Amino acid sequence: MEPTRTETRQLNGQEIFIRHWGDESLPPLVMLHGFPEYGGAWADLAALLSPHFHCIAPDQRGYGRSSAPEGIEPYAMAHLMADIAALIGDKPVTVVAHDWGASVGYALAMFRPELVARLIILNGVHPVPFQRAMAAGGAQSRASQYINTLRSEGSAVSLGKDNFAGLLKLFSAHMDLSWLTAERLEDYRAEWGRPGRLRAMINWYRASPLQVAAPGKPIRDLPDFPVERLRVKCPHLLVWGRGDTALLPEATEGLEIFAQDLTRVEIADADHWLHHQKPQAVADAVLNWCAQRPLAK
C-alpha cells in the first residue's frame, strides 16, 4: 500500500522523511521500524490499521531518506528518542514499534511518558530484561553474537558486498523471508544503498551500551537498574512471533516488573518478521487491545 502522503521535516536538527497512511483526523499512531528496515516496511500493517488510525512512519535517523550523520555518538539513544519526541509534538500518541524501533519506543515511554498514551511492541525488548538475558552467557547470549559482528570495524563493507548479500543473509538467518518478494527486496536494496546509510544503521549498535556475553561466560558486574526510572507507566501490549531466533522469550522475562499494565499476545507460525508474515493477526491483536484501552478524551 502506497502512503497517502509523504514529507520531509526538520526535527531535532535532522531531516526526517515521513510516510503517512490514512485520514489525518484519526488518532495518530507513530510506527517505529527496526534494523535493517525503513518507514516503508510498515505498509502491510498500515493498510490494515489506517481505517482506524492516522499511521505515521518515519525513516529513523540513519535510515532511508532521513539524515545520516557521521560518527557513532549521533546514534546514542538520547538523540534517537529526541527525534521522535519532536515528531510527536505535545500531545500523547499511540506508539507501535519493532526491533530497534522498540528500543526507541521504550525510551519514550520511560523518559517522555507524557508523549506515549499506549505502547505496542512487536518482537522488541525492554533494555533491562534484554541486558540480563544477553549477559547470562546462555541462549540469548549465543543468539546475540551477531551484535559483536555488526560492531566490528569493516562490517558495513562486508555486509554491503555483492549487492548486500551479507546483510540479506543476516536479515534472514533461520527465519522465514518468503514475504520478501523480488520487488520488495529491490526497495530494501535501494534504501540500504543510499550514501552512508549502512554504516549509520550499524552505528545504532555501536552507540548502544548493552553488553553481549560470550557463550558460557556470563557478565556478572552489571550496573543497578532503577525500576522506577525505567518503568513503562502507560498501557503496554507486547505482540510476539513465537519463532523468533534473534530475540528469545527469555529476553522478556521479568518485563511485568517494568510494565505493570502489560498484555502479552503470541502469534503462531511467525518469527521476528511477524508484521510482514502475519499482518492481519498483528492488526487484530492491536485493534482488539486498543478497543480495551481507549484513549482519554
Side-chain angles (χ1 to χ4, degrees):
M1 179 185 183
E2 291 299 313
T4 51
R5 181 169 71 89
T6 64
E7 61 171 331
T8 299
R9 291 176 58 188
Q10 183 83 15
L11 297 170
N12 190 35
Q14 306 298 310
E15 295 287 333
I16 302 296
F17 183 79
I18 306 161
R19 294 168 179 82
H20 298 260
W21 287 272
D23 189 329
E24 298 188 16
S25 68
L26 292 170
L29 178 69
V30 174
M31 311 179 84
L32 302 178
H33 67 83
F35 177 91
E37 300 206 281
Y38 65 106
W42 288 112
D44 292 342
L45 190 59
L48 301 171
L49 295 179
S50 57
H52 309 274
F53 293 98
H54 167 209
C55 297
I56 306 164
D59 286 348
Q60 296 202 74
R61 163 188 307 223
Y63 285 83
R65 295 187 232 180
S66 292
S67 297
E70 294 184 4
I72 295 172
E73 195 278 336
Y75 300 95
M77 184 52 66
H79 301 308
L80 307 177
M81 178 181 68
D83 292 348
I84 307 306
L87 170 63
I88 292 171
D90 58 3
K91 293 183 179 179
V93 301
T94 302
V95 173
V96 60
H98 173 250
D99 185 77
W100 256 114
S103 298
V104 180
Y106 275 121
L108 286 163
M110 292 186 294
F111 305 125
R112 297 295 308 273
E114 75 281 6
L115 299 182
V116 185
R118 298 179 292 203
L119 178 64
I120 301 164
I121 299 294
L122 314 180
N123 281 67
V125 285
H126 185 286
V128 179
F130 187 42
Q131 176 60 96
R132 288 172 174 165
M134 285 201 300
Q140 185 61 63
S141 298
R142 290 191 294 273
S144 296
Q145 290 304 304
Y146 73 93
I147 293 176
N148 290 331
T149 300
L150 286 169
R151 286 172 168 170
S152 65
E153 186 57 40
S155 61
V157 174
S158 61
L159 292 175
K161 286 181 178 177
D162 301 322
N163 206 14
F164 302 98
L167 181 58
L168 186 59
K169 182 178 179 181
L170 181 70
F171 195 20
S172 61
H174 310 295
M175 289 190 259
D176 172 23
L177 246 65
S178 60
W179 56 269
L180 192 63
T181 62
E183 181 180 6
R184 182 173 278 176
L185 177 55
E186 287 310 303
D187 291 339
Y188 275 86
R189 283 178 169 144
E191 302 301 331
W192 297 338
R194 296 181 188 277
R197 293 314 186 275
L198 188 49
R199 176 175 287 276
M201 290 155 59
I202 290 169
N203 280 344
W204 281 53
Y205 289 91
R206 292 173 174 149
S208 170
L210 294 177
Q211 303 176 67
V212 185
K217 297 181 179 180
I219 299 170
R220 304 193 186 280
D221 58 346
L222 293 176
D224 291 331
F225 299 112
V227 172
E228 190 55 37
R229 177 166 167 74
L230 301 173
R231 194 185 299 280
V232 174
K233 297 181 176 68
C234 67
H236 178 13
L237 172 65
L238 178 64
V239 186
W240 199 264
R242 293 179 187 172
D244 197 335
T245 59
L247 298 176
L248 308 181
E250 66 188 69
T252 74
E253 289 179 4
L255 178 57
E256 284 79 2
I257 296 170
F258 296 92
Q260 294 179 323
D261 187 354
L262 173 66
T263 302
R264 293 178 183 256
V265 174
E266 287 194 346
I267 305 293
D269 302 320
D271 56 41
H272 191 69
W273 308 112
L274 69 169
H275 53 307
H276 297 298
Q277 297 158 340
K278 300 284 184 177
Q280 186 65 62
V282 172
D284 289 346
V286 168
L287 294 172
N288 290 339
W289 180 78
C290 285
Q292 297 168 26
R293 296 290 194 280
L295 295 174
K297 294 184 178 179

